[in-house]
Amino acid sequence: MDNHEHSGKSFLEQTAEEEFNNEQIVSDEANDVPPYVAEYDEQIPLYILSPSSAVADISMFDTASARLTDYGFDVRRDPMADAKETRFAGTDEQRAAAFSRAASSGAEVVMASRGGYGLSRILHLIDWELLAKHPKRYVGYSDFTAFNLALLAKTGMSSYTGPAAIPDFGHTEVDELTAELFVESMRDELEILCFEAEGSDEVDVRGTLWGGNLAMICSLIGTPYMPKIDNGILFIEDVSEHPYRIERMLWQLWQAGVLANQQAIMLGHFTDYQLVVHDNGFNFNSVIQWLRSVVGIPVVTGLPYGHGEVRATLPIGEEVGLATQNDIAYLVLKEHAHGDDEHAHHQHDHHD
């Protein structure tokens, strides 16, 4: 993607001057964020469906609905959301039909109940033309990456990766920052996401934001559901995958020509793996070094997204700006309101 100049200043300089106070960013702590409290005149209609694994405890639907209602949503649940068919939330046909019901509903937001596994099995059954005729804001994460990317490939429509109903709103305690970022995104109030990006490469680019769960991205290579993104900004995360497996999947993206077409890659959470004696010093930092030396595109670390505690809501398929300065990354989601830093969200992320 091209680096544009605005009034003689680079994108980074303009962004830093007009939108941020770096001292404030550095001082912000995730656990300092106050509980999100807001009163809205109108609630946003939200539809919960289960496109992947079955929800083990269906009582969590009630908790999730109550929490989401507290955050300003008018919640409706798909009639098959609590279905179970072996490990799945109903048969393949039932889960695919849920997307048609969601598209035909009056909801503005459609949220997955959870991830797991199952979306890969139903991509060929989803009525993409119907979804294109009735645009919604689809949101989920993990296994939902398959739907996010397939929607972009089949219809050109953007969607969101972010929280899911049960893991994020179905428990007694809700991560307030995750919830706040989601609410602000659904109400078009989130313009900029700032986060600590220690050791990141210098970058100042604009491009199509896309990505999600790395294993799901790789599973779509060679299928009709893999979007072709040129000069994009790719972000990835994964869980329970050893660093050598992460590197192997990145090798696949590299050899398939995907990484060569990206301007930068952002690394989110890579959690719940164990190193062994045989690794002999090979770790996740080794993967980052390989990315820089072999792939040769800028690497930005610290994105608060994935299977960790904080999960930012990110638009897949939208044009964004990305810049780094002094170990802080600036992900500019909307650029139409310069001079007003009210909606610049500062995330001091301290997770590995």
Side-chain angles (χ1 to χ4, degrees):
M1 208 205 59
D2 296 332
N3 290 333
H4 299 289
E5 294 291 330
H6 295 277
S7 303
K9 296 180 180 179
S10 71
F11 163 68
L12 174 58
E13 291 172 327
Q14 177 173 291
T15 300
E17 287 185 7
E18 295 187 1
E19 302 290 353
F20 306 106
N21 179 314
N22 282 347
E23 292 182 359
Q24 179 183 358
I25 294 170
V26 173
S27 66
D28 278 344
E29 295 283 348
N31 56 8
D32 287 340
V33 176
Y36 188 76
V37 178
E39 294 291 338
Y40 294 102
D41 293 334
E42 296 183 3
Q43 289 185 313
I44 297 177
L46 182 147
Y47 193 100
I48 299 176
L49 49 69
S50 296
S52 301
S53 292
V55 174
D57 183 359
I58 62 174
S59 69
M60 298 180 77
F61 277 112
D62 293 332
T63 303
S65 295
R67 295 288 180 273
L68 286 164
T69 299
D70 290 341
Y71 284 105
F73 296 93
D74 180 11
V75 182
R76 176 183 171 188
R77 189 193 316 171
D78 185 81
M80 298 299 295
D82 59 358
K84 293 183 180 180
E85 178 71 22
T86 63
R87 65 176 292 128
F88 305 105
T91 65
D92 290 350
E93 291 74 15
Q94 288 171 334
R95 287 180 287 114
F99 281 103
S100 294
R101 290 191 292 270
S104 301
S105 73
E108 295 179 20
V109 178
V110 178
M111 173 179 277
S113 64
R114 59 159 297 178
Y117 169 64
L119 263 164
S120 302
R121 295 169 53 116
I122 67 172
L123 294 178
H124 66 294
L125 299 174
I126 294 175
D127 188 342
W128 299 106
E129 291 185 3
L130 180 65
L131 270 59
K133 291 178 181 178
H134 303 280
K136 310 291 182 183
R137 296 189 176 204
Y138 295 94
V139 60
Y141 77 104
S142 196
D143 191 56
F144 203 73
T145 298
F147 175 83
N148 290 133
L149 299 186
L151 182 70
L152 184 59
K154 300 297 286 186
T155 72
M157 293 169 56
S158 62
S159 58
Y160 292 85
T161 183
I166 298 305
D168 292 296
F169 298 99
H171 297 275
T172 303
E173 295 184 1
V174 175
D175 182 85
E176 294 292 343
L177 185 53
T178 297
E180 183 176 350
L181 292 170
F182 171 64
V183 173
E184 291 180 356
S185 295
M186 294 302 100
R187 293 188 177 272
D188 291 323
E189 296 174 352
L190 183 63
E191 296 177 359
I192 301 150
L193 179 67
C194 313
F195 55 92
E196 280 197 350
E198 184 177 357
S200 293
D201 296 322
E202 291 187 4
V203 62
D204 181 359
V205 296
R206 289 182 181 82
T208 301
L209 183 67
W210 73 290
N213 180 263
L214 179 58
M216 297 311 303
I217 296 171
C218 288
S219 74
L220 297 180
I221 293 176
T223 75
Y225 309 106
M226 181 70 167
K228 294 178 174 59
I229 307 294
D230 292 326
N231 298 319
I233 299 172
L234 173 65
F235 65 93
I236 58 173
E237 63 84 28
D238 221 314
V239 59
S240 300
E241 296 285 1
H242 189 285
Y244 82 81
R245 295 180 179 177
I246 299 298
E247 184 177 284
R248 184 168 61 195
M249 287 186 279
L250 288 169
W251 263 111
Q252 184 182 9
L253 288 176
W254 170 243
Q255 292 170 333
V258 175
L259 294 185
N261 289 328
Q262 309 311 312
Q263 297 190 91
I265 182 169
M266 291 192 292
L267 304 180
H269 301 148
F270 290 85
T271 57
D272 297 341
Y273 63 83
Q274 289 186 339
L275 299 177
V276 297
V277 174
H278 180 68
D279 289 316
N280 194 29
F282 182 91
N283 55 28
F284 195 75
N285 286 332
S286 305
V287 178
I288 296 177
Q289 292 172 9
W290 170 82
L291 265 176
R292 289 188 167 120
S293 63
V294 175
V295 179
I297 61 175
V299 177
V300 177
T301 63
L303 180 68
Y305 167 78
H307 287 73
E309 295 178 15
V310 179
R311 189 163 19 260
T313 299
L314 303 171
I316 291 179
E318 293 287 342
E319 293 293 309
V320 303
L322 175 64
T324 56
Q325 186 180 56
N326 299 328
D327 286 336
I328 299 293
Y330 309 94
L331 183 60
V332 181
L333 305 173
K334 298 181 184 297
E335 295 187 65
H336 61 272
H338 293 296
D340 178 7
D341 66 356
E342 179 181 356
H343 301 308
H345 210 113
H346 312 301
Q347 162 63 28
H348 179 101
D349 187 62
H350 49 75
H351 306 299
D352 292 334

